[in-house]
Amino acid sequence: MICRTIDAKTHEQFMIGSPKEHFMQTAVWGQIKSTDGWQHEIIGFYQDDRLCASALLFKKAVPVLKKYLYYCPRGPIADYDDRALLQEMTLLLRKYLQEHHALALTIDPDVAIAAWDKYDKPTMARSDLAEFLCSLGWKHSGYVKNFENKQPRYTFRLSLSDGIDSVYDQCDRMARKNLKFAQEAAIRVYPSDEMDRYFEIMRDTAERDHFYEGSPDYYRRLYPMLKEKNMAQLWFARYEPKENLRLIDHALQEIDEQLAELDKKLAAKATPRLETTKQQTLEKRGRIEKQRALALEYLEKYPDGLDLSTLITVSTPHRTWTVWGGSRSQLRQFAANYKITSIGYARWVRLARLGKEDSAKLLPQIIRMLSCGMDQSFREKLQTLTCADQFTVALYSDEE
């Protein structure tokens, strides 16, 4: 096996689609970190002209020692079940680092040591990878709980291979209840690039939960660079009091119709069961009336609505991460954070990138679709819609 520098295209072709695909191993992430004083280089490990592992490495100079600290976030990209590969890769890495005046290299590969289901039952045998790497000369930083080792040890992952319905089927009762709250409260999730609102909500979250939300300058550099590559989107979950009132009034109308029907049945033949049903329906109506009174208060206080939660998602072709996010302290009973989190495993059932020629052919259909239900002025604006070099097309599945 040999080790040599490779270009970003070769690395990403190897990394994208592999089990270790990660946005922190993309070329654009290297460009982002370069704004923080990190240099980056990419190396590949070849066996008989076949690329079998690769790594995006960051390095930062240690001035006094004239050496470099190296870091490989969520890498190297390799088959961690192949112990012979890991052994050879370690030997070549050590040689490469010595030749490049490295003081140390930190890695945090995207490898599961253990996994649990929602009932905290183990779903895999505990891996001995850390012990094996230590036998090769690596030093393990320990099983910490938070961000002491740069990246979080505990992550939550949802597979979409069985479709989005299977994800919702596995939600527990409280999660379903909170999603229903958000739906009934007219929480609207929408994309936006408004960073000032994002910082406002993140500051609120950080003060409430006692953590550092990060520098606004960092996000102002990071987000546009990822967005330009179609890898990131900023989302907001907004409470719409006018829509909330409309839904409440519709619910009251339905209950009044139920009560009218119950009165007819009771007039024909009164039974204890009908009386109990009517009493329960009246109690339900009373609860909804209280909701309506609160909605009127919120309408007066937030006539244009209020963004309650925010989230930045980062994507590669086969994965999406919900990376940075927070929620406002007001109106937390509406569970807006549950509604917005669902966008992270959004209900895309098919995803494709079309070239310029195919995009141009699809454009008239997209214009017709976006025109549905819109006023004339909006339709006229749509006629000026043009496509860039490519379209990303997604088929969206909604149980409603």
Side-chain angles (χ1 to χ4, degrees):
M1 183 182 287
I2 63 170
C3 170
R4 66 171 185 257
T5 58
I6 59 175
D7 58 37
K9 183 178 180 180
T10 301
H11 169 63
E12 291 196 352
Q13 285 177 340
F14 176 76
M15 184 264 296
I16 298 298
S18 78
K20 303 306 176 189
E21 178 179 321
H22 203 284
F23 72 91
M24 289 186 182
Q25 280 289 306
T26 60
V28 66
W29 194 252
Q31 296 167 12
I32 289 169
K33 298 306 291 183
S34 68
T35 64
D36 289 336
W38 289 90
Q39 302 174 53
H40 66 276
E41 49 203 44
I42 307 173
I43 58 175
F45 301 85
Y46 285 84
Q47 183 73 53
D48 298 329
D49 293 327
R50 182 180 65 88
L51 183 62
C52 52
S54 65
L56 171 65
L57 302 175
F58 294 97
K59 67 178 184 180
K60 185 173 283 190
V62 183
V64 177
L65 301 177
K66 295 182 179 180
K67 290 184 176 291
Y68 293 92
L69 289 174
Y70 276 77
Y71 174 45
C72 184
R74 292 307 192 225
I77 306 299
D79 179 2
Y80 284 84
D81 292 327
D82 188 339
R83 299 299 169 90
L85 168 64
L86 296 181
Q87 187 170 7
E88 290 192 63
M89 185 177 70
T90 297
L91 291 173
L92 290 171
L93 262 175
R94 182 180 282 116
K95 181 181 178 182
Y96 177 89
L97 293 168
Q98 290 172 346
E99 292 173 351
H100 289 75
H101 310 290
L103 181 64
L105 165 66
T106 299
I107 65 172
D108 49 17
D110 187 21
V111 176
I113 299 297
W116 301 266
D117 62 15
K118 65 179 181 180
Y119 304 107
D120 290 334
K121 294 181 179 179
T123 58
M124 62 173 280
R126 187 175 182 83
S127 170
D128 65 345
L129 177 66
E131 290 76 13
F132 175 74
L133 290 176
C134 287
S135 74
L136 300 180
W138 296 93
K139 293 183 179 179
H140 190 219
S141 298
Y143 294 107
V144 295
K145 290 185 176 180
N146 297 309
F147 290 81
E148 293 91 339
N149 293 337
K150 293 185 172 61
Q151 303 304 328
R153 280 194 58 236
Y154 292 95
T155 58
F156 296 87
R157 299 191 175 186
L158 294 171
S159 172
L160 301 181
S161 58
D162 295 329
I164 191 61
D165 290 339
S166 68
V167 175
Y168 281 92
D169 289 343
Q170 295 178 52
C171 288
D172 62 22
R173 185 179 63 85
M174 185 55 68
R176 290 174 181 271
K177 186 177 181 180
N178 283 326
L179 285 167
K180 184 179 179 182
F181 279 157
Q183 189 69 29
E184 292 177 346
I187 301 298
R188 177 173 64 92
V189 176
Y190 67 98
S192 172
D193 297 328
E194 182 51 64
M195 296 301 293
D196 287 340
R197 276 185 284 135
Y198 170 79
F199 298 135
E200 180 185 345
I201 295 174
M202 288 300 293
R203 279 193 294 270
D204 186 348
T205 307
E207 291 173 5
R208 183 180 66 244
D209 295 338
H210 309 292
F211 70 88
Y212 176 57
E213 71 273 25
S215 164
D217 289 340
Y218 174 70
Y219 291 105
R220 291 191 191 280
R221 293 195 307 271
L222 173 149
Y223 179 70
M225 294 177 75
L226 288 170
K227 183 69 183 288
E228 183 181 0
K229 300 295 183 180
N230 296 318
M231 289 179 60
Q233 182 58 62
L234 173 59
W235 303 90
F236 291 93
R238 188 174 187 82
Y239 170 60
E240 305 275 8
K242 293 178 182 177
E243 178 63 12
N244 190 198
L245 273 172
R246 188 191 70 79
L247 293 174
I248 289 174
D249 288 340
H250 179 71
L252 287 172
Q253 181 182 350
E254 288 186 337
I255 284 184
D256 288 340
E257 290 173 357
Q258 294 172 17
L259 287 170
E261 187 65 25
L262 284 169
D263 285 338
K264 288 181 183 179
K265 293 179 179 179
L266 285 167
K269 184 180 179 180
T271 65
R273 185 175 180 178
L274 285 174
E275 291 286 356
T276 300
T277 301
K278 181 178 180 179
Q279 182 61 35
Q280 292 173 341
T281 305
L282 286 170
E283 290 173 358
K284 183 178 180 181
R285 193 186 195 286
R287 291 193 297 270
I288 296 177
E289 282 285 5
K290 290 180 181 179
Q291 294 174 12
R292 190 178 194 280
L294 284 173
L296 286 171
E297 290 181 18
Y298 298 146
L299 178 61
E300 183 176 353
K301 192 172 184 179
Y302 313 111
D304 298 322
L306 182 67
D307 290 314
L308 301 182
S309 190
T310 187
L311 183 72
I312 295 178
T313 57
V314 181
S315 300
T316 55
H318 303 95
R319 291 184 178 183
T320 294
W321 291 259
T322 57
V323 187
W324 305 279
S327 60
R328 201 182 291 274
S329 297
Q330 297 100 308
L331 308 183
R332 298 190 74 190
Q333 72 272 22
F334 290 148
N337 55 316
Y338 276 78
K339 185 75 177 286
I340 198 171
T341 302
S342 67
I343 203 69
Y345 47 89
R347 305 174 187 185
W348 306 126
V349 294
R350 293 289 186 274
L351 187 66
R353 286 187 172 90
L354 302 182
K356 192 167 185 178
E357 183 178 346
D358 290 331
S359 297
K361 293 177 182 178
L362 188 63
L363 188 58
Q365 297 178 48
I366 293 178
I367 291 175
R368 285 198 299 273
M369 180 185 69
L370 295 177
S371 298
C372 293
M374 307 307 293
D375 59 30
Q376 184 61 33
S377 62
F378 185 81
R379 292 185 182 190
E380 291 174 356
K381 289 180 181 178
L382 282 176
Q383 297 306 314
T384 64
L385 183 66
T386 59
C387 62
D389 291 338
Q390 64 177 13
F391 264 127
T392 298
V393 179
L395 300 183
Y396 185 73
S397 172
D398 192 327
E399 64 185 4
E400 298 172 0

